[in-house]
Amino acid sequence: MRSMWKGSVSFGLVTIPIHLYAATENKSVSLRQVHVTDGGRIQYKRYCSIENVEVPYSDIAKGYELGDGEMVVITDDDLQSLPLSSSNVIDVLEFVPLEAIDPLHFDKHYYLEPQKAALKPYVLLRDALHKSGNVAIAKVALRQRESLALLRVHNDVLVMTTMLWPDEVRKPDFGFLDEDPPQVRDQELTMAGSLIDSLSEPVFDPGKYTDSYREALESVIEAKAAGKETTKLPEKAGKSDVVDLMAALEASVSEARKSRKPAAGKKTPAKKSTSTRRSSKSA
């Protein structure tokens, strides 16, 4: 991993110099636009819509379009003059329970690595944060944009998650919310609960899931690169519309129980005792 940002965590009067790393990466297969007859890459040129001429990158600025179509030009000097009080500083503001934050507000995740001289205050904040059971709410500026963020502990490392501002989270505005809800029978609710129970696991194991579309696309690319013909993958049967809700629930519960039934001759493993090793909180 490469450090993408260098700054510090401001925790009261304690300053902890850190390096910031992206905690996630996009594994989607990147496809380019090409000319279908010869594979040549499609290129785009920057043209001015008024003068109808190609514009060099040095003459390009940012603009904000007003409601009447007028364009307000914003230069780099204009942006540099804006105040970013938390620039190069992750400024801790308060501490709250993680459960108090709706995941809808979460944006991107980053690992924080202490600089050499800051290991002790880093470990101090990490352990104190873990012991408190809370997460830290902070302000930070990344790429000329100020964001709310939270700090938490994951695998003995401080993780920063940037958050959306309150006005960036849309309020659901759907007609059915203003209508009288349909009556759900007790039997249907009980059966839905049984379906949830039959599909429940004590912990989330992301390792048992795979990106089947990406794997199939990579196989197609490898086959074409090797000069082989590709074969069309069989399509999954579409699910039919629900006619009888209760019957669909009963069938779903039955199917879930069959798929999770242990193999013949194998005993269900006994539950392991709770480890005394410290576990890190994660969102």
Side-chain angles (χ1 to χ4, degrees), residues 69 228 268 270:
K228 299 176 182 178
T268 303

Side-chain angles (χ1 to χ4, degrees), residues 214-266:
R214 188 182 82 202
E215 292 173 351
L217 178 56
E218 289 173 343
S219 297
V220 169
I221 293 172
E222 291 172 2
K224 286 213 162 190
K228 299 176 182 178
E229 290 294 326
T230 60
T231 55
K232 186 176 182 181
L233 297 175
E235 295 182 1
K236 293 183 179 179
K239 294 183 179 180
S240 58
D241 293 336
V242 176
V243 177
D244 187 327
L245 183 57
M246 193 65 183
L249 288 169
E250 290 175 343
S252 298
V253 171
S254 177
E255 187 65 28
R257 287 174 177 169
K258 286 180 183 177
S259 64
R260 288 170 177 254
K261 188 180 294 183
K266 290 186 178 181

Side-chain angles (χ1 to χ4, degrees), residues 187-241:
Q187 300 95 316
E188 293 169 336
L189 193 59
T190 300
M191 190 58 66
S194 297
L195 178 57
I196 291 174
D197 290 340
S198 62
L199 293 174
S200 295
E201 296 289 353
V203 294
F204 172 55
D205 178 15
K208 67 182 180 181
Y209 302 103
T210 59
D211 186 347
S212 55
Y213 177 84
R214 188 182 82 202
E215 292 173 351
L217 178 56
E218 289 173 343
S219 297
V220 169
I221 293 172
E222 291 172 2
K224 286 213 162 190
K228 299 176 182 178
E229 290 294 326
T230 60
T231 55
K232 186 176 182 181
L233 297 175
E235 295 182 1
K236 293 183 179 179
K239 294 183 179 180
S240 58
D241 293 336

Side-chain angles (χ1 to χ4, degrees), residues 4-5 20 84 110 140-147 160 162:
M4 55 167 288
W5 188 84
L20 194 73
L84 281 177
Y110 303 90
V140 64
L142 297 175
R143 300 189 181 95
Q144 293 295 318
R145 186 181 189 275
E146 192 170 61
S147 299
M160 182 181 78
T162 54

Side-chain angles (χ1 to χ4, degrees), residues 144-155:
Q144 293 295 318
R145 186 181 189 275
E146 192 170 61
S147 299
L148 280 176
L150 68 84
L151 297 179
R152 60 188 178 88
V153 182
H154 176 70
N155 288 341

Side-chain angles (χ1 to χ4, degrees), residues 32 51 57 62 65 77 82 118 175-176 191 207 222-223 237 252 263:
R32 298 181 179 274
E51 298 181 10
Y57 189 78
K62 295 179 174 64
E65 187 172 357
D77 290 339
L82 299 178
F176 79 92
M191 190 58 66
E222 291 172 2
S252 298

